[in-house]
Amino acid sequence: MAVIQSGPPIELEGQLEIMIEDYADHAEVRRYLNTANGESVQIEDTDLLNQSKTGDHMRVMGQKTGLQTMSLTSIGSNISTLAQSTDANTFGEQKTLVMLINFQDNPVEPYTVAYARDVVFHQTNQFFRESS
């Protein structure tokens, strides 16, 4: 078992980006801080940022645990929300892109365009309207 050497505390400032990876049997939430110099650092202690949302301008203090990962140390002194996101893109009408993709090693087309259109824009349409 490898032991990760953590360095001295560092402070980073940037825009928070939250990504959700949805798998068949579970989902994972990943939080990244995108800094002004183009660096994207994954924040490992994500439960400390539960009230934050994508687009918030944050300053966090913690320890580097890997090349592009950071661990936060204590809640009271290491997280500052400098500006909350004013992006209201989670409300109202949303555009939906549906792509049917075939791979070279498996050219089978399991769904027709008509079937995909029916599922997205008819069968599940009411669910998406109620959820938004």
Side-chain angles (χ1 to χ4, degrees):
M1 177 179 196
V3 176
I4 298 175
Q5 297 291 328
S6 57
I10 60 168
E11 184 175 277
L12 293 176
E13 183 176 322
Q15 189 173 47
L16 186 66
E17 181 178 14
I18 302 172
M19 294 185 187
I20 299 173
E21 296 177 3
D22 196 8
Y23 299 96
D25 59 344
H26 72 285
E28 293 183 21
V29 178
R30 300 189 190 277
R31 290 176 173 84
Y32 296 87
L33 193 68
N34 299 317
T35 65
N37 67 358
E39 185 178 25
S40 182
V41 178
Q42 183 176 353
I43 300 174
E44 293 179 330
D45 304 311
T46 59
D47 56 329
L48 298 175
L49 295 171
N50 281 341
Q51 302 303 312
S52 303
K53 60 184 185 283
T54 291
D56 286 355
H57 191 82
M58 311 285 294
R59 181 180 297 135
V60 296
M61 182 178 287
Q63 293 181 314
K64 283 270 201 165
T65 55
L67 190 59
Q68 294 300 114
T69 58
M70 168 181 212
S71 176
L72 305 181
T73 53
S74 65
I75 189 164
S77 61
N78 64 348
I79 301 171
S80 300
T81 301
L82 305 177
Q84 290 187 325
S85 171
T86 58
D87 188 10
N89 65 358
T90 58
F91 299 103
E93 183 176 324
Q94 300 289 306
K95 304 288 184 186
T96 302
L97 172 67
V98 178
M99 294 176 52
L100 299 177
I101 299 174
N102 292 84
F103 296 95
Q104 290 179 350
D105 64 339
N106 186 5
V108 176
E109 294 182 14
Y111 306 110
T112 65
V113 172
Y115 176 77
R117 183 179 293 122
D118 182 57
V119 168
V120 174
F121 298 109
H122 296 106
Q123 294 179 31
T124 61
N125 187 44
Q126 189 59 35
F127 168 76
F128 289 122
R129 287 182 182 275
E130 290 173 6
S131 298
S132 61

mmCIF file of all heavy atoms in Angstrom, residues 58-78:
data_model
loop_
_atom_site.group_PDB
_atom_site.id
_atom_site.type_symbol
_atom_site.label_atom_id
_atom_site.label_comp_id
_atom_site.label_asym_id
_atom_site.label_seq_id
_atom_site.Cartn_x
_atom_site.Cartn_y
_atom_site.Cartn_z
ATOM 1 N N MET A 58 -14.166 30.486 -5.205
ATOM 2 C CA MET A 58 -13.759 29.974 -3.890
ATOM 3 C C MET A 58 -12.279 30.221 -3.627
ATOM 4 O O MET A 58 -11.486 30.337 -4.549
ATOM 5 C CB MET A 58 -13.988 28.461 -3.822
ATOM 6 C CG MET A 58 -15.332 27.951 -4.262
ATOM 7 S SD MET A 58 -16.621 28.240 -3.078
ATOM 8 C CE MET A 58 -16.111 27.232 -1.736
ATOM 9 N N ARG A 59 -11.959 30.263 -2.347
ATOM 10 C CA ARG A 59 -10.569 30.193 -1.891
ATOM 11 C C ARG A 59 -10.529 29.049 -0.894
ATOM 12 O O ARG A 59 -11.302 29.023 0.056
ATOM 13 C CB ARG A 59 -10.141 31.486 -1.214
ATOM 14 C CG ARG A 59 -8.674 31.422 -0.756
ATOM 15 C CD ARG A 59 -8.218 32.706 -0.081
ATOM 16 N NE ARG A 59 -8.280 33.816 -1.012
ATOM 17 C CZ ARG A 59 -8.802 35.017 -0.700
ATOM 18 N NH1 ARG A 59 -9.295 35.234 0.501
ATOM 19 N NH2 ARG A 59 -8.793 35.985 -1.584
ATOM 20 N N VAL A 60 -9.641 28.085 -1.133
ATOM 21 C CA VAL A 60 -9.534 26.927 -0.257
ATOM 22 C C VAL A 60 -8.090 26.736 0.180
ATOM 23 O O VAL A 60 -7.157 27.079 -0.542
ATOM 24 C CB VAL A 60 -10.048 25.629 -0.938
ATOM 25 C CG1 VAL A 60 -11.527 25.727 -1.250
ATOM 26 C CG2 VAL A 60 -9.265 25.309 -2.188
ATOM 27 N N MET A 61 -7.933 26.211 1.383
ATOM 28 C CA MET A 61 -6.601 25.903 1.898
ATOM 29 C C MET A 61 -6.582 24.424 2.241
ATOM 30 O O MET A 61 -7.516 23.896 2.827
ATOM 31 C CB MET A 61 -6.274 26.729 3.132
ATOM 32 C CG MET A 61 -4.863 26.467 3.652
ATOM 33 S SD MET A 61 -4.451 27.489 5.067
ATOM 34 C CE MET A 61 -4.258 29.058 4.253
ATOM 35 N N GLY A 62 -5.542 23.768 1.851
ATOM 36 C CA GLY A 62 -5.410 22.345 2.127
ATOM 37 C C GLY A 62 -4.021 21.864 1.792
ATOM 38 O O GLY A 62 -3.078 22.656 1.745
ATOM 39 N N GLN A 63 -3.914 20.581 1.551
ATOM 40 C CA GLN A 63 -2.620 19.990 1.231
ATOM 41 C C GLN A 63 -2.726 19.231 -0.076
ATOM 42 O O GLN A 63 -3.708 18.533 -0.322
ATOM 43 C CB GLN A 63 -2.183 19.036 2.333
ATOM 44 C CG GLN A 63 -1.879 19.751 3.633
ATOM 45 C CD GLN A 63 -1.435 18.781 4.709
ATOM 46 O OE1 GLN A 63 -2.049 17.750 4.897
ATOM 47 N NE2 GLN A 63 -0.369 19.130 5.390
ATOM 48 N N LYS A 64 -1.711 19.385 -0.909
ATOM 49 C CA LYS A 64 -1.645 18.605 -2.143
ATOM 50 C C LYS A 64 -1.448 17.148 -1.755
ATOM 51 O O LYS A 64 -0.614 16.825 -0.930
ATOM 52 C CB LYS A 64 -0.465 19.062 -3.006
ATOM 53 C CG LYS A 64 -0.705 20.341 -3.744
ATOM 54 C CD LYS A 64 -1.306 20.052 -5.089
ATOM 55 C CE LYS A 64 -1.070 21.228 -6.004
ATOM 56 N NZ LYS A 64 -1.295 20.956 -7.377
ATOM 57 N N THR A 65 -2.246 16.270 -2.352
ATOM 58 C CA THR A 65 -2.102 14.840 -2.094
ATOM 59 C C THR A 65 -1.671 14.099 -3.349
ATOM 60 O O THR A 65 -1.439 12.906 -3.315
ATOM 61 C CB THR A 65 -3.424 14.242 -1.569
ATOM 62 O OG1 THR A 65 -4.453 14.534 -2.498
ATOM 63 C CG2 THR A 65 -3.767 14.820 -0.212
ATOM 64 N N GLY A 66 -1.603 14.803 -4.438
ATOM 65 C CA GLY A 66 -1.192 14.231 -5.707
ATOM 66 C C GLY A 66 -0.886 15.368 -6.653
ATOM 67 O O GLY A 66 -0.920 16.540 -6.277
ATOM 68 N N LEU A 67 -0.613 15.027 -7.884
ATOM 69 C CA LEU A 67 -0.260 16.045 -8.864
ATOM 70 C C LEU A 67 -1.378 17.058 -9.062
ATOM 71 O O LEU A 67 -1.143 18.254 -9.091
ATOM 72 C CB LEU A 67 0.093 15.372 -10.198
ATOM 73 C CG LEU A 67 0.700 16.274 -11.253
ATOM 74 C CD1 LEU A 67 1.981 16.926 -10.758
ATOM 75 C CD2 LEU A 67 0.962 15.481 -12.520
ATOM 76 N N GLN A 68 -2.611 16.601 -9.174
ATOM 77 C CA GLN A 68 -3.751 17.496 -9.402
ATOM 78 C C GLN A 68 -4.868 17.266 -8.394
ATOM 79 O O GLN A 68 -6.031 17.452 -8.697
ATOM 80 C CB GLN A 68 -4.303 17.309 -10.818
ATOM 81 C CG GLN A 68 -3.351 17.730 -11.921
ATOM 82 C CD GLN A 68 -2.952 19.196 -11.846
ATOM 83 O OE1 GLN A 68 -1.806 19.505 -11.606
ATOM 84 N NE2 GLN A 68 -3.894 20.090 -12.031
ATOM 85 N N THR A 69 -4.520 16.843 -7.166
ATOM 86 C CA THR A 69 -5.515 16.624 -6.121
ATOM 87 C C THR A 69 -5.126 17.361 -4.855
ATOM 88 O O THR A 69 -3.952 17.580 -4.588
ATOM 89 C CB THR A 69 -5.692 15.128 -5.795
ATOM 90 O OG1 THR A 69 -4.428 14.596 -5.395
ATOM 91 C CG2 THR A 69 -6.242 14.353 -6.972
ATOM 92 N N MET A 70 -6.139 17.716 -4.091
ATOM 93 C CA MET A 70 -5.932 18.481 -2.871
ATOM 94 C C MET A 70 -6.892 17.975 -1.805
ATOM 95 O O MET A 70 -8.047 17.671 -2.092
ATOM 96 C CB MET A 70 -6.199 19.956 -3.182
ATOM 97 C CG MET A 70 -6.320 20.865 -2.028
ATOM 98 S SD MET A 70 -6.657 22.537 -2.627
ATOM 99 C CE MET A 70 -5.842 23.450 -1.356
ATOM 100 N N SER A 71 -6.431 17.890 -0.568
ATOM 101 C CA SER A 71 -7.261 17.491 0.554
ATOM 102 C C SER A 71 -7.444 18.700 1.468
ATOM 103 O O SER A 71 -6.482 19.403 1.796
ATOM 104 C CB SER A 71 -6.586 16.350 1.316
ATOM 105 O OG SER A 71 -7.339 16.018 2.459
ATOM 106 N N LEU A 72 -8.683 18.962 1.871
ATOM 107 C CA LEU A 72 -8.945 20.072 2.782
ATOM 108 C C LEU A 72 -8.757 19.581 4.207
ATOM 109 O O LEU A 72 -9.045 18.451 4.536
ATOM 110 C CB LEU A 72 -10.360 20.601 2.569
ATOM 111 C CG LEU A 72 -10.681 21.004 1.129
ATOM 112 C CD1 LEU A 72 -12.098 21.528 1.035
ATOM 113 C CD2 LEU A 72 -9.698 22.030 0.621
ATOM 114 N N THR A 73 -8.304 20.464 5.080
ATOM 115 C CA THR A 73 -7.917 20.015 6.410
ATOM 116 C C THR A 73 -8.970 20.261 7.481
ATOM 117 O O THR A 73 -9.279 19.379 8.250
ATOM 118 C CB THR A 73 -6.587 20.685 6.825
ATOM 119 O OG1 THR A 73 -6.731 22.084 6.661
ATOM 120 C CG2 THR A 73 -5.458 20.187 5.967
ATOM 121 N N SER A 74 -9.545 21.432 7.580
ATOM 122 C CA SER A 74 -10.570 21.689 8.595
ATOM 123 C C SER A 74 -11.567 22.701 8.058
ATOM 124 O O SER A 74 -11.201 23.633 7.349
ATOM 125 C CB SER A 74 -9.939 22.209 9.885
ATOM 126 O OG SER A 74 -9.343 23.457 9.653
ATOM 127 N N ILE A 75 -12.831 22.514 8.409
ATOM 128 C CA ILE A 75 -13.889 23.284 7.761
ATOM 129 C C ILE A 75 -13.866 24.776 8.071
ATOM 130 O O ILE A 75 -14.114 25.590 7.208
ATOM 131 C CB ILE A 75 -15.270 22.675 8.076
ATOM 132 C CG1 ILE A 75 -16.340 23.346 7.230
ATOM 133 C CG2 ILE A 75 -15.599 22.794 9.544
ATOM 134 C CD1 ILE A 75 -17.618 22.602 7.162
ATOM 135 N N GLY A 76 -13.573 25.192 9.279
ATOM 136 C CA GLY A 76 -13.709 26.599 9.638
ATOM 137 C C GLY A 76 -12.698 27.528 8.994
ATOM 138 O O GLY A 76 -13.001 28.667 8.688
ATOM 139 N N SER A 77 -11.506 27.065 8.735
ATOM 140 C CA SER A 77 -10.454 27.985 8.317
ATOM 141 C C SER A 77 -9.982 27.801 6.885
ATOM 142 O O SER A 77 -9.098 28.492 6.446
ATOM 143 C CB SER A 77 -9.251 27.814 9.244
ATOM 144 O OG SER A 77 -8.768 26.495 9.140
ATOM 145 N N ASN A 78 -10.572 26.881 6.129
ATOM 146 C CA ASN A 78 -9.963 26.618 4.836
ATOM 147 C C ASN A 78 -10.864 26.825 3.626
ATOM 148 O O ASN A 78 -10.439 26.601 2.524
ATOM 149 C CB ASN A 78 -9.390 25.204 4.805
ATOM 150 C CG ASN A 78 -10.457 24.167 4.938
ATOM 151 O OD1 ASN A 78 -11.587 24.486 5.278
ATOM 152 N ND2 ASN A 78 -10.118 22.932 4.678
#
